Amino acid sequence: AQSVAQPEDQVNVAEGNPLTVKCTYSVSGNPYLFWYVQYPNRGLQFLLKYITGDNLVKGSYGFEAEFNKSQTSFHLKKPSALVSDSALYFCAVRASRTDSNYQLIWGAGTKLIIKP
Amino acid sequence: GAVVSQHPSRVICKSGTSVKIECRSLDFQATTMFWYRQFPKQSLMLMATSNEGSKATYEQGVEKDKFLINHASLTLSTLTVTSAHPEDSSFYICSAGRAGRNRNGEQFFGPGTRLTVL
């Protein structure tokens, strides 16, 4: 079965420290992976995606993610956290079924809290 | 580019009434639009997928007669919550996939609509 797991409900990081938000996936075929961020009472904003190519993907707001095929992971990272990075982060993978209209399968979300 | 709008952003209605939410792709054509529902502090729950000019595909457990979806053009999809009940109160989010470029799965999201049913 296809799935996405975000094992941490919440991640707390001090401002200026590096942050990592974890994501692992299970999908048949080549994965198309995404990270989105959601600020309170707002829709989702695209951060970055991995389709093919370099395993390290750079995205918006200084975020990057590393695709690791052997570990089936796509962890989100940032070298130096900002208080404004505090938000809800979702990992998603494109469904493999050809009749799926290329739906996204979503992780449960990780709340990131950056403390001053 | 790739901006999606939703209207209204917030709506309060009485139980038993119907509410229509519009989702528009402003600067691109969207062959496929997705409607999600999100409960507080939870992930997105896909309700249905709509393709322009055809009937929507509903996820298991979503009542198609209660949540009417129309995707009449390549830039507009609407979700109508019929005979709303307080348990329909939620945050509804739409997203759109670009025509001809949806194969990678990338979706562009609207800002969401907060529905409160009294």
Side-chain angles (χ1 to χ4, degrees):
Chain A
Q2 301 173 90
S3 63
V4 175
Q6 292 180 244
E8 303 151 317
D9 291 336
Q10 183 169 309
V11 171
N12 297 302
V13 177
E15 187 177 26
N17 283 0
L19 69 86
T20 298
V21 183
K22 295 180 180 178
C23 172
T24 58
Y25 65 90
S26 173
V27 63
S28 58
N30 294 321
Y32 289 3
L33 296 153
F34 301 84
W35 275 102
Y36 286 87
V37 60
Q38 184 180 34
Y39 297 98
N41 293 312
R42 297 181 65 179
L44 275 71
Q45 295 180 33
F46 170 78
L47 276 180
L48 51 78
K49 65 183 177 185
Y50 172 82
I51 305 298
T52 186
D54 291 341
N55 290 342
L56 185 64
V57 180
K58 294 188 182 297
S60 306
Y61 312 121
F63 283 92
E64 58 188 28
E66 186 169 10
F67 170 63
N68 187 316
K69 188 173 183 178
S70 62
Q71 297 184 4
T72 62
S73 67
F74 190 56
H75 301 330
L76 182 70
K77 300 180 180 182
K78 186 172 182 179
S80 178
L82 299 173
V83 173
S84 57
D85 293 329
S86 299
L88 193 56
Y89 290 80
F90 290 99
C91 180
V93 65
R94 192 198 79 173
S96 302
R97 298 180 355 247
T98 55
D99 63 344
S100 70
N101 281 301
Y102 303 105
Q103 294 170 6
L104 292 178
I105 300 168
W106 295 88
T110 299
K111 186 176 183 179
L112 178 63
I113 297 177
I114 308 300
K115 297 182 178 179
Chain B
V3 177
V4 176
S5 69
Q6 265 183 258
H7 178 78
S9 58
R10 194 176 286 265
V11 57
I12 300 172
C13 69
K14 293 182 178 180
S15 186
T17 61
S18 294
V19 174
K20 180 185 283 188
I21 302 171
E22 291 187 349
C23 178
R24 293 181 184 273
S25 56
L26 298 184
D27 51 2
F28 67 100
Q29 293 184 330
T31 49
T32 305
M33 286 186 170
F34 303 88
W35 286 96
Y36 295 89
R37 184 173 178 175
Q38 186 180 31
F39 293 100
K41 300 180 181 180
Q42 292 190 29
S43 188
L44 283 74
M45 183 193 80
L46 180 65
M47 299 175 65
T49 303
S50 73
N51 289 301
E52 185 265 338
S54 62
K55 290 184 179 181
T57 301
Y58 289 81
E59 295 301 301
Q60 191 173 7
V62 178
E63 300 175 58
K64 62 180 181 180
D65 294 332
K66 180 167 184 61
F67 297 100
L68 301 178
I69 291 173
N70 183 278
H71 192 165
S73 76
L74 285 172
T75 59
L76 173 64
S77 177
T78 59
L79 167 67
T80 302
V81 183
T82 62
S83 188
H85 289 162
E87 55 264 32
D88 297 327
S89 299
S90 192
F91 194 52
Y92 292 87
I93 305 173
C94 75
S95 71
R98 272 181 168 154
R101 286 202 231 176
N102 195 42
R103 287 188 159 272
N104 65 24
E106 185 171 359
Q107 297 177 18
F108 303 93
F109 286 82
T113 297
R114 173 73 60 192
L115 171 63
T116 303
V117 184
L118 303 177

